[in-house]
Amino acid sequence: MNKRKTIGLALSGGGIRGFAHLGAIKALEEANIPIDYIAGTSAGALIGACVATGMKVDDIYDFLKVKDVFSLTEFSLPSKGILNFKRLAKEMRKELPYHRFEDLPIPLTVVATNLQLGKPEYINSGNFIEAAMASASIPAIFSPVRIGEYDYCDGGVFDNMPIKTVRKHADIVVGINISTVNEIKDIGSISDIAARTFQLSVNSNSMPDLSTCDIYITPDGIRDFGLLDTEHIDAIYQAGYQAAKEKLSDEIPEALRIPTFWERTNETIKDLLGQ
């Protein structure tokens, strides 16, 4: 019997726009499309970590939805960053059923930047909550995260959408890009400026690989929302959901479709008969 092709998600960084990842994954969930592997950067690492535990999208959404960016962060001494993710890490340890990569039902890789060595690291062992915090720590806004002997910050510095990593582990790559940019009228506060500058600098490093995705989803409209804009979480989520639904609206791509019971039975009979 022919085996189903494996499906992997490549989830880009993009701040609070990570809720669009959840919306898109909800659409995949409704279409009964399985996920066999996940690689994520920054917001994609945080969402990917939650999804990899096997939690349903609705539960993840309820857990992560906040009224403002400070609800799950704490102020830090300004020498290394304005905020840190210690509060969010504490909540994730409490809410998530697993804490280590090795225990996850869906294999996960998280991209983080090693500041001392000046290179990206693709982390898939140890404490995934700690790794996800590191991957999402936008320089200057969030303090680096210490893991072992090194300090880590946002993986988007080198690889904002780990498509090549997913390709090594899955037959079909579904890429969800939440880091598109557009023209803005008001540059905003110091944190907005830092986030905008960072987004512009990292957006280009994933562009050469976007065309290699088997299915590429980029939600419309979310470029109008800033990386730290928590006032429009519902709209961001819905944008991701609608983008994925439209991609699957005509028909679910054959590569993603799960064979029906009768199709599996027919294949088994053919195998037994040597056809």
Side-chain angles (χ1 to χ4, degrees), residues 195-266:
R196 173 73 173 180
T197 304
F198 178 73
Q199 184 187 15
L200 293 173
S201 67
V202 305
N203 193 55
S204 61
N205 67 41
S206 59
M207 292 183 67
D209 297 326
L210 296 181
S211 62
T212 67
C213 292
D214 298 290
I215 296 177
Y216 177 63
I217 299 170
T218 178
D220 291 332
I222 62 170
R223 66 180 63 186
D224 296 327
F225 305 121
L227 299 187
L228 304 178
D229 182 357
T230 56
E231 294 183 3
H232 299 93
I233 288 175
D234 291 334
I236 293 170
Y237 175 90
Q238 286 299 323
Y241 178 77
Q242 290 300 326
K245 289 285 283 187
E246 289 173 9
K247 184 67 71 170
L248 304 174
S249 60
D250 295 332
E251 59 178 327
I252 297 175
E254 187 66 24
L256 299 186
R257 192 174 63 83
I258 299 177
T260 66
F261 169 78
W262 294 112
E263 287 172 332
R264 294 195 301 271
T265 302
N266 187 47

Side-chain angles (χ1 to χ4, degrees), residues 1-6 171 254-255 257 259 264 267 271:
M1 179 179 176
N2 294 328
K3 290 185 177 180
R4 161 181 80 75
K5 290 185 178 181
T6 55
D171 299 314
E254 187 66 24
R257 192 174 63 83
R264 294 195 301 271
E267 287 294 331
D271 287 343

Side-chain angles (χ1 to χ4, degrees), residues 24-59:
I25 295 170
K26 176 65 175 180
L28 297 178
E29 187 180 276
E30 289 180 348
N32 199 30
I33 294 173
I35 299 170
D36 302 294
Y37 181 85
I38 301 172
T41 298
S42 197
L46 288 173
I47 297 300
C50 294
V51 173
T53 67
M55 288 179 67
K56 293 295 185 181
V57 168
D58 290 344
D59 295 330

